[in-house]
């Protein structure tokens, strides 16, 4: 639970997110057109809302799997050590894979997970992040699709937490301490 009082200012509305997901879904469906072996992999916990909305817009036959990675714990600063807390249920060798992330910040998480999954020899692997904080990048990694470029502010909502709170907000907001 957060220790200091704060308010949340809306940064990206639920409506704007929904419209962007429609566009992204069309691009992803074009990329993977014709495949019947796509596995959409959500990185827990932050991506659970995004992946739910994304797969319902995707006009493709898909399977869904999850992997839990954590580098932040309850803090606001990345530990830069990515821990795999829960692995995929299924094999991905020879399959098409779309990795779904809520936010790319330092880049450690998605770079680490991508390397791990690539070693399992999928036929094709792409990554998508709803949010990207380019200014915070510490490793050389960019997602194939990004929903929104955002400034270097602490964001919450739409799956993203502050000390495990506020994941249930339908929009993306910024945290302001009062
Ligand atoms: C957050 C977020 C991303 C990652 C991005 O996960 O969901 O996975 O950090 O940061 P990075 O680019 O600096 O690695 P967190 O470790 O907080 O776990 P959670 O998804 O369970 O909230």
């Amino acid at each position: 639970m957060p220790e200091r009082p704060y308010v949340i200012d809306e940064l990206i509305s639920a409506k704007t997110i929904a419209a962007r997901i429609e566009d992204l879904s069309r691009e992803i469906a074009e990329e993977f057109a014709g495949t019947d072996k796509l596995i959409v992999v959500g990185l827990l916990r932050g991506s659970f809302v995004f992946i739910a909305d994304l797969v319902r817009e995707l006009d493709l036959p898909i399977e869904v799997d999850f992997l839990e990675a954590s580098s932040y714990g309850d803090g606001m600063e990345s530990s830069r050590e990515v821990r795999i807390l829960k692995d995929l249920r299924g094999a991905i060798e020879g399959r098409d894979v779309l990795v779904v992330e809520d936010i790319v910040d330092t880049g450690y998480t998605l770079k680490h997970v991508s390397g791990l999954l690539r070693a399992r020899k999928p036929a094709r692997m792409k990554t998508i992040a709803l949010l990207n904080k380019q200014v915070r990048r510490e490793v050389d990694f960019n997602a194939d699709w990004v929903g929104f470029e955002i400034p270097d502010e602490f964001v919450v909502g739409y799956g993203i937490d502050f000390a495990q709170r506020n994941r249930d907000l339908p929009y993306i907001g910024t945290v302001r301490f009062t």
Side-chain angles (χ1 to χ4, degrees):
M1 188 178 159
E3 285 168 9
R4 292 164 61 192
Y6 63 98
V7 294
I8 297 169
D9 301 313
E10 185 174 283
L11 180 68
I12 307 170
S13 72
K15 211 172 151 190
T16 303
I17 296 169
R20 184 71 182 119
I21 288 176
E22 274 185 32
D23 291 345
L24 289 167
S25 300
R26 269 194 293 274
E27 290 178 28
I28 292 166
E30 268 174 38
E31 169 68 33
F32 288 105
T35 185
D36 59 355
K37 53 181 184 177
L38 179 62
I39 304 182
V40 183
V41 170
L43 300 197
L44 296 172
R45 285 173 269 180
S47 73
F48 78 102
V49 178
F50 181 34
I51 191 173
D53 283 348
L54 186 68
V55 296
R56 285 180 293 174
E57 280 297 323
L58 263 187
D59 194 10
L60 286 174
I62 59 151
E63 293 177 25
V64 175
D65 205 342
F66 293 96
L67 183 145
E68 183 169 9
S70 186
S71 60
Y72 282 77
D74 283 350
M76 292 175 80
E77 188 60 30
S78 171
S79 65
R80 294 169 183 78
E81 260 177 52
V82 182
R83 289 183 300 147
I84 302 301
L85 304 178
K86 180 206 166 296
D87 206 339
L88 298 177
R89 284 275 288 275
I92 57 168
E93 185 170 350
R95 305 287 301 264
D96 288 332
V97 174
L98 175 66
V99 182
V100 179
E101 178 62 299
D102 52 337
I103 182 167
V104 184
D105 192 317
T106 64
Y108 279 96
T109 304
L110 203 48
K111 183 167 187 173
H112 180 87
V113 169
S114 294
L116 186 92
L117 297 185
R118 244 180 238 295
R120 297 179 188 178
K121 301 189 170 44
R124 179 170 29 162
M125 193 177 83
K126 297 280 177 187
T127 54
I128 180 168
L130 180 68
L131 306 176
N132 185 44
K133 270 190 197 174
Q134 196 64 38
V135 64
R136 294 260 307 166
R137 195 72 88 255
E138 294 182 15
V139 295
D140 182 20
F141 189 90
N142 288 307
D144 296 300
W145 290 281
V146 165
F148 303 93
E149 295 288 341
I150 59 165
D152 186 14
E153 298 210 45
F154 197 88
V155 290
V156 292
Y158 201 73
I160 302 172
D161 72 304
F162 176 31
Q164 301 310 328
R165 293 290 176 90
N166 308 125
R167 292 191 196 270
D168 52 319
L169 286 177
Y171 58 87
I172 300 284
T174 54
V175 168
R176 180 162 47 90
F177 293 103
T178 53

